[in-house]
Amino acid sequence: MKSIILILLTSFSTFCSYAQSPRIFNSQLESVTVYSLGAELNHKAKVSLPAGTSEIVLANVANTVDESSIQISVPSNVTILSTSFSRDFLKNENKSPAYIKVEDSLQFIKRELNKLENKRVVEENLLVLLDKNQAIGGSNTGVNVAELMKVADYYKNKQLELRNNIFNLKEAEALQQKRIARMQRQLQELSLDKSGTSGQIILQLMASTATNADLSVSYLTPSAAWIAFYDLRAENTTTPLKIVYKANVTQSTGLDWKKVRLSLSTGNPSQNGTAPLLSAWFLQFGEPEYAYRNKKLVYQNRIQSMAMPAPEVKEEVLSLMAKKSNGLAVQQNENMLNAIFDIEIPYDIASNSKPHSVILKEFSQPAAFKYYSVPKMDGDAFLMAEITNYDKLNLLPGEANIIFENSYVGKSFINPNATTDTLNLSMGRDKKITIKREKIAEQTGVKFIGNSKKQTFTYEIRLRNGKKEAVDLLLKDQYPVSTDKDMEVELLNAGGASVNKETGVLTWKLKLKPGATENIRISYSVKYPKDKNILNLQ
């Protein structure tokens, strides 16, 4: 009997332990690695575990988590039985403290507006009632002058009072409506802040003995990203180009990142890493088009299902290159697949989807400067910086601010994915170099020769260097290329340019002295049947 009671008590104790609510422990965000799309968050948590099986909840994690990426590090005397993720619905969904404050103020103003509207309606009803009851005495009763004047003054004063009240109330309503509109716009802005929404990781653990354990937690979330942008600075065309490599980091994980160790990776963990495999390509005779399409789709699906995943490859770090250029505390690690920038200064980044600027590197790069112009398309000269060996800079595509001769001149775009050995960076327009392209009317015209029509075009390009130093200018223009045997195109004057006869592109490599001017003329003719028209001839 005693043994039965002992078994029942043990079973009851075990049931009670499972029936108890899981204990909640806060996790502390330690470091974040942000990818081009997504981020890896790393937390620490201190938990107390009883002997046996228990369930705990790690709070204060991101609001969206790839569950398959969750990694938990526990002491050797603790075993993980299961892991799951859920949203924390006990918090105000998508409402940050700032949002709640503005929302409360908005509700108050709406109540005040409702009171004003009620007062106005009452005043308007009184005015209607007053207008309907202006008859004085009965139809058979006369009214003396004194009574008439007295009643007239009353109606006059009362109507004036009511109408003034209505006017003032309408003004007050309009003011409140403007305040409501401003607050609604502010709420729309604050709705991007996801700090009011977080997630939690639920763990089933088994400990051999009661213990206080330090847990390490990491996972991937899609709610963060970074893009590259740059500052390109050049004092003049004889000094090296200064490139400031920056990052715009955004996140909406529901957690404000405060004093975290931040790393930025050029990789993308969400991209499929499975290498494709080819299967045999079997030919077969064709069938009706509809059936062939169906078979083609089935065949493609079959190939896809036969593709086997490539063996897992761990990114082994090949070289570590620690840099502190111009005082920047950034360490750049390069591995087989991507580059990682470790920011040594802790960063604060709010969960509001707004870009937060982070400086990665600053370096000076030797560059060959030259000017480039296509006056047929654009009348300005563009300063170009040519950089070689740019693959060592680990640049990503991104927008660039251009500062030349200590003045902001505009924006450009860096595309390091070019297949050439030289990276051309546009440094913007230089208004000190003037270029004009005009048609010379007296040398442009039409002649009829038998059944043919011959049009001649002559253009003059005038250039002036208004700078204090000589400049190298790459100038381009063009003449048309025939696409029909009935069209005869003749280049009459190339103006000293090198000619690409296949494309019709004319190229000049000019060196303009300070204050110098130069004129270039080009001329070409097009002969074709007079009963035909060429729409894009100019």
Side-chain angles (χ1 to χ4, degrees):
M1 184 67 180
K2 289 183 178 180
S3 60
I4 296 175
I5 294 175
L6 181 60
I7 292 172
L8 291 174
L9 289 175
T10 303
S11 301
F12 180 75
S13 176
T14 304
F15 172 79
C16 289
S17 65
Y18 277 107
Q20 290 176 354
S21 298
R23 288 179 299 163
I24 300 175
F25 298 91
N26 276 327
S27 62
Q28 181 67 36
L29 183 62
E30 297 278 324
S31 64
V32 178
T33 299
V34 185
Y35 300 94
S36 56
L37 183 61
E40 181 184 70
L41 276 61
N42 301 284
H43 297 255
K44 296 288 186 182
K46 293 183 179 292
V47 300
S48 58
L49 301 174
T53 302
S54 59
E55 182 179 82
I56 66 170
V57 173
L58 299 180
N60 202 41
V61 302
N63 51 24
T64 306
V65 170
D66 180 359
E67 288 196 47
S68 63
S69 70
I70 298 175
Q71 300 289 329
I72 311 289
S73 175
V74 297
S76 58
N77 64 330
V78 177
T79 302
I80 301 175
L81 301 178
S82 68
T83 304
S84 62
F85 168 81
S86 69
R87 298 285 291 274
D88 186 357
F89 292 102
L90 296 179
K91 290 189 176 181
N92 290 319
E93 186 75 7
N94 293 332
K95 293 182 181 179
S96 65
Y99 185 99
I100 294 173
K101 182 178 180 180
V102 175
E103 187 178 47
D104 291 342
S105 299
L106 179 61
Q107 295 302 322
F108 175 79
I109 293 175
K110 284 183 176 180
R111 287 194 295 270
E112 293 300 308
L113 175 61
N114 188 257
K115 292 178 182 178
L116 291 173
E117 291 173 342
N118 291 339
K119 289 182 180 179
R120 175 177 54 80
V121 170
V122 170
E123 297 289 297
E124 288 173 344
N125 290 339
L126 283 175
L127 184 62
V128 171
L129 182 63
L130 188 67
D131 291 339
K132 288 182 177 179
N133 292 274
Q134 291 185 7
I136 305 174
S139 58
N140 298 321
T141 305
V143 180
N144 59 42
V145 175
E147 288 179 347
L148 182 61
M149 293 298 296
K150 187 175 180 180
V151 171
D153 287 340
Y154 168 77
Y155 276 104
K156 175 183 176 181
N157 293 333
K158 194 61 178 177
Q159 277 203 352
L160 185 60
E161 177 188 348
L162 291 174
R163 293 185 184 277
N164 284 337
N165 288 345
I166 293 171
F167 176 80
N168 292 335
L169 288 169
K170 286 183 177 180
E171 278 194 332
E173 288 178 33
L175 181 62
Q176 295 292 69
Q177 287 170 345
K178 288 181 180 179
R179 294 178 65 187
I180 288 173
R182 288 197 299 268
M183 287 193 171
Q184 287 175 335
R185 289 195 296 270
Q186 184 66 29
L187 280 181
Q188 186 177 4
E189 178 75 12
L190 290 172
S191 65
L192 299 175
D193 186 350
K194 303 300 183 183
S195 60
T197 308
S198 63
Q200 54 190 17
I201 295 176
I202 304 169
L203 300 176
Q204 290 280 353
L205 303 175
M206 184 173 66
S208 58
T209 59
T211 183
N212 293 323
D214 292 330
L215 305 186
S216 296
V217 182
S218 68
Y219 54 85
L220 293 176
T221 175
S223 305
W226 76 279
I227 59 173
F229 74 103
Y230 306 86
D231 285 344
L232 303 180
R233 296 176 179 270
E235 294 181 7
N236 50 57
T237 57
T238 61
T239 59
L241 177 66
K242 183 179 180 181
I243 302 178
V244 182
Y245 193 170
K246 300 181 180 179
N248 270 339
V249 182
T250 58
Q251 66 104 348
S252 57
T253 61
L255 306 175
D256 287 336
W257 301 350
K258 296 182 179 180
K259 306 300 179 186
V260 299
R261 298 194 307 273
L262 189 64
S263 298
L264 303 180
S265 172
T266 59
N268 183 358
S270 63
Q271 189 174 18
N272 184 7
T274 303
L277 297 178
L278 284 176
S279 300
W281 181 3
F282 298 104
L283 295 180
Q284 56 184 341
F285 287 108
E287 297 179 13
E289 185 177 358
Y290 179 77
Y292 175 74
R293 286 178 178 172
N294 287 340
K295 280 205 169 186
K296 183 178 181 181
L297 290 174
V298 172
Y299 177 67
Q300 289 178 342
N301 291 335
R302 184 169 63 86
I303 290 179
Q304 185 176 6
S305 66
M306 292 172 64
M308 299 178 64
E312 182 180 357
V313 178
K314 295 185 178 179
E315 297 179 3
E316 181 185 356
V317 177
L318 298 180
S319 63
L320 295 177
M321 181 169 57
K323 294 184 180 181
K324 284 193 179 181
S325 56
N326 299 332
L328 292 177
V330 178
Q331 180 173 322
Q332 178 181 338
N333 301 327
E334 296 180 359
N335 55 40
M336 293 176 64
L337 301 179
N338 53 61
I340 299 175
F341 301 96
D342 294 325
I343 317 298
E344 296 183 5
I345 301 174
Y347 264 85
D348 291 351
I349 300 180
S351 175
N352 56 12
S353 300
K354 292 184 177 180
H356 189 101
S357 178
V358 177
I359 297 179
L360 301 181
K361 291 192 298 185
E362 292 183 10
F363 47 84
S364 295
Q365 184 74 14
F369 291 93
K370 66 179 180 182
Y371 287 89
Y372 173 80
S373 180
V374 185
K376 181 183 179 181
M377 307 296 295
D378 194 304
D380 286 336
F382 293 82
L383 179 62
M384 307 296 293
E386 290 185 347
I387 297 177
T388 57
N389 298 323
Y390 63 92
D391 53 324
K392 298 179 180 179
L393 304 180
N394 291 311
L395 302 179
L396 291 174
E399 196 175 65
N401 297 319
I402 304 169
I403 298 94
F404 184 65
E405 294 179 338
N406 296 321
S407 297
Y408 174 79
V409 296
K411 291 185 179 295
S412 183
F413 190 85
I414 293 181
N415 181 18
N417 297 327
T419 58
T420 59
D421 296 333
T422 303
L423 179 63
N424 286 291
L425 303 178
S426 177
M427 298 295 293
R429 304 167 185 261
D430 194 331
K431 296 294 185 179
K432 294 180 181 179
I433 299 176
T434 56
I435 303 174
K436 291 186 178 180
R437 181 183 188 268
E438 293 180 339
K439 184 184 291 185
I440 307 301
E442 60 269 19
Q443 297 185 26
T444 299
V446 181
K447 290 183 180 180
F448 291 93
I449 306 171
N451 293 325
S452 299
K453 178 167 57 175
K454 184 177 183 180
Q455 286 187 261
T456 302
F457 299 86
T458 302
Y459 291 90
E460 183 174 77
I461 304 172
R462 295 193 293 272
L463 308 102
R464 183 179 183 278
N465 179 16
K467 300 177 73 66
K468 296 180 181 180
E469 66 273 359
V471 298
D472 294 320
L473 175 64
L474 183 67
L475 181 70
K476 287 184 179 290
D477 211 300
Q478 66 180 157
Y479 68 98
V481 178
S482 174
T483 59
D484 192 290
K485 64 179 181 179
D486 291 335
M487 295 182 193
E488 296 180 13
V489 177
E490 182 181 2
L491 180 61
L492 304 175
N493 182 9
S498 61
V499 181
N500 187 327
K501 294 182 179 180
E502 292 183 358
T503 63
V505 174
L506 307 174
T507 304
W508 296 263
K509 293 182 179 180
L510 306 174
K511 193 172 188 68
L512 299 178
K513 296 180 179 179
T517 60
E518 187 167 341
N519 295 334
I520 297 174
R521 284 199 178 189
I522 62 171
S523 181
Y524 56 86
S525 65
V526 182
K527 183 180 177 183
Y528 57 96
K530 65 181 181 181
D531 60 343
K532 294 184 178 180
N533 292 317
I534 303 177
L535 299 178
N536 58 340
L537 183 59
Q538 56 183 358

